[in-house]
Amino acid sequence: MANGKRDTKFEPDDSALRLAVLIDADNAQAAVIEGLLAEIARFGEATVKRIYGDFTSPGSAQWKKVLNRHAIKPVQQFAYTTGKNATDSTLIIDAMDLLYTRRFDGFCLVSSDSDFTGLALRIREEGLMVFGFGEKKTPDAFRNACHRFLFTEVLRPVAQKAAETTPAPAAKGAKSAKKPAKAVPKPAAAEEPTEQDFPRAFVLEALDKAGDDSGWAGLGAFGSYLNKLQPDFDSRLYGFRKLSDLVRARTDIFECEERAVPGADAKVLYVRARER
């Protein structure tokens, strides 16, 4: 007989954010879906997963192969007229309907289209989290309208990244007017960002603001401040899987120190700018 009490052993993730994942099929690639969903799982539970597009068009064939596997609900949207994107309108209307149900803690908007900037701002006004996912071509307006923005390039499978950087072999029997010089394979290091790519001044400014009077800041506080100032900051863009890996490796910029947590068998990483 039921006693009216909830069996909490089936609810280990009560504190997880309930997220609505809305994907613009016209401005996202199916190849990143596994990495995308894994990344979203770090923030919370994807209780709604919908994708919007015209799935009768050849361009959507890539998505048809993965929708059932990942339990993503397709929302068919025919193009009413040439040059107008009906998909965006349908996604925005659905997002507002979901917003007013008050059942969600945040939204994941997957697109590289700046048309969703207003939607992101409206969701933030309701006090909900907004996570954006798009390519590096995404305009700054949409990136900065999100609490966090992640580039989908870092979510691609390793095999796909390697294929994109490997030059295609010449067609057999193909002739050229001028025999080109022997191609030199691009070294693996060329894929790593250069010092010029690393936003050194921005990172040091954020560290200064997050630190205490002595300049030390906990890694968590430092990372949180970085994302508040620049929602699309991601250590993976600079060749490091985690922020902790980045600060430990860049000994030319940072000093690191692990401190024991009082009353617990754990340590917290602290970081400060290295004196020059």
Side-chain angles (χ1 to χ4, degrees):
M1 182 175 177
N3 58 11
K5 294 183 179 179
R6 297 176 68 186
D7 190 349
T8 56
K9 68 181 180 179
F10 294 110
E11 302 177 48
D13 298 322
D14 284 347
S15 60
L17 294 179
R18 291 167 297 179
L19 302 173
V21 180
L22 307 180
I23 305 171
D24 175 10
D26 297 336
N27 284 284
Q29 295 185 7
V32 305
I33 190 62
E34 291 187 5
L36 174 72
L37 294 177
E39 195 71 22
I40 290 171
R42 294 177 54 218
F43 303 124
E45 179 187 359
T47 56
V48 166
K49 292 180 287 186
R50 298 180 186 176
I51 184 168
Y52 301 79
D54 183 359
F55 298 101
T56 64
S57 68
S60 297
Q62 55 172 337
W63 281 109
K64 294 178 183 178
K65 301 176 182 178
V66 300
L67 296 185
N68 288 337
R69 188 192 319 158
H70 297 286
I72 302 173
K73 178 182 178 181
V75 179
Q76 171 65 30
Q77 180 57 62
F78 294 101
Y80 295 124
T81 183
T82 305
K84 300 293 182 181
N85 196 337
T87 299
D88 291 3
S89 301
T90 304
L91 190 157
I92 292 171
I93 291 170
D94 262 15
M96 296 307 295
D97 287 343
L98 293 171
L99 176 64
Y100 291 135
T101 65
R102 311 294 179 187
R103 293 189 293 114
F104 301 94
D105 303 305
F107 282 72
C108 299
L109 305 178
V110 185
S111 179
S112 303
D113 195 337
S114 63
D115 289 348
F116 297 110
T117 302
L119 175 61
L121 292 173
R122 180 66 185 88
I123 294 171
R124 289 190 66 153
E125 288 176 357
E126 289 294 315
L128 276 62
M129 295 293 294
V130 182
F131 302 100
F133 298 83
E135 298 178 352
K136 291 181 180 179
K137 66 181 181 181
T138 306
D140 289 342
F142 181 37
R143 296 189 203 177
N144 295 327
C146 303
H147 289 96
R148 286 288 309 276
F149 189 90
L150 292 97
F151 293 113
T152 53
E153 283 86 351
V154 303
L155 305 178
R156 291 175 183 167
V158 175
Q160 182 187 5
K161 292 180 183 178
E164 290 175 353
T165 58
T166 302
K172 199 169 185 178
K175 296 181 180 180
S176 59
K178 185 179 179 181
K179 188 175 181 180
K182 188 175 181 179
V184 179
K186 184 183 289 186
E191 287 299 304
E192 300 178 1
T194 64
E195 174 64 23
Q196 185 178 359
D197 295 321
F198 186 75
R200 185 188 187 110
F202 160 74
V203 168
L204 289 177
E205 180 183 357
L207 180 57
D208 178 64
K209 294 183 183 300
D212 57 20
D213 292 340
S214 62
W216 287 101
L219 186 69
F222 176 40
S224 177
Y225 204 87
L226 278 171
N227 288 127
K228 285 180 181 178
L229 292 179
Q230 188 171 309
D232 59 4
F233 182 86
D234 192 328
S235 59
R236 289 171 293 189
L237 293 172
Y238 311 106
F240 300 96
R241 192 169 64 90
K242 297 180 180 179
L243 181 60
S244 58
D245 296 334
L246 188 154
V247 298
R248 283 192 173 106
R250 295 303 302 263
T251 55
D252 58 320
I253 303 176
F254 305 107
E255 290 183 46
C256 296
E257 180 180 284
E258 288 190 343
R259 300 180 186 177
V261 178
D265 187 19
K267 291 184 178 182
V268 174
L269 183 64
Y270 278 75
V271 59
R272 73 174 177 182
R274 179 172 294 280
E275 296 182 2
R276 302 184 68 81

